[in-house]
Amino acid sequence: MARNVCTTAEIILELEGILSLLRIQMIIIIHLYLKRRQLGRRQQGRFTRPYSLVDKMPAQVKHLNRLVRVCDVDCFDNLRMDRNTFGKLCRLLKELGGMRDGRFVTVEEQVAMFLGILAHHKKSRIVRFDFMRSGYTVSKYVHAVLRALLDIYKKFLAKPDPVTDDSTDSRWKHFKGCIGALDGTYINVLVSNTDKPRYRTRKGQIATNTLAACDRQMRFIYALPGWEGSAGDSRVLKDAVSREYGLKVPKDNYYLCDNGYANSEGFLTPYKGVRYHLKEWAVGSQRPQNAIELFNLRHTKARNVIERAFAVLKMRWGILRSASFYPIKIQIRLIMACILLHNFIRAEMTDDPIERELDAIPDTIPLEEDNQDVEYVGNVEPSTEWTQMRDEMANSMWLHANGGGN
């Protein structure tokens, strides 16, 4: 009996050894199979990777060509400027802004991505899909274009050009020495919950109060975005004038402003309590009955240029029509960029389709003057002298109109 038990134990041990060997062999076989399969995938991916950079390049080049090299209509619809203006902007950013072609992304594609975001308020994931780039690449070059644009802001801002005595412009010839028009506008922004009370306007919107001054061609001379929406226009103007490189108004020159500002040296406002807005002078309305009404009528016709400039600016850049999801500092810089690009387009494109559309519808940008000997307005306070000058100007207009002139 002992002999039989011993024999059975030996058999069991032998069987367990065989099973162990089979188990080890199966593990080795499976390991070798997986290694071979992984190696085959790697070698196959070297030549036939479905989303490789090489495979995407023809589609990327084709997309960029359709944007900026086929026709002006498509270029303007997508980037808000024609092909010639786009090419000049890219050259300017290369020569003065220090932009360079990346390893896989040219300057033209970088600028096109940036303009697409400004023009249509596209999210980064949409731009990433359109241009077949990574989200990191889109973010990197959008910020690079923004920095380059703000570094050369002086090239885009218009220079003050006062109205001269021999002016024949029917809107401006009555305002000798006038530089342009000045006003503020609200641009919606996204801020934290703790900052919302400061940025809430009297209409309940969360916005920044942006001060801007433009010339007679609707080009911006100065801009100060960033103030909270709760801040009054006169407060923003006082801050702009007091800054070291803020708004500079030479003596004997002035801007046309509305009644949100004080009638003070350098800033000419209309008479209060008298009809003023253009809709009050519509067809069928009574003609001006005295010097004050005539002054207000001509004042609003000339000052309307800043309202048109704001309208064209917001029609051109969709990112200004709704709050973006960038940090507030980046949102302010984007507002600056939109203003600078607006000036560049107005200077390069003789025919602005955005302005034609308007006709069919029923961080600070400092200004450094080249001439350091010019004396500027130093404060924004109501003055008797300036009120008297306005009265003399109104009486002169009235006498001239009644004498047969216009």
Side-chain angles (χ1 to χ4, degrees), residues 124-139:
S124 295
R125 59 180 177 270
I126 304 300
V127 179
R128 174 185 63 81
F129 179 81
D130 291 342
F131 286 85
M132 287 168 282
R133 299 292 183 183
S134 67
Y136 169 79
T137 300
V138 173
S139 177

Side-chain angles (χ1 to χ4, degrees), residues 86 89-90 93 99 107-116 145:
F86 177 81
L89 176 63
C90 293
L93 293 175
M99 291 194 64
V107 170
E108 288 74 14
E109 189 173 357
Q110 298 172 31
V111 176
M113 289 189 291
F114 179 73
L115 294 178
V145 177

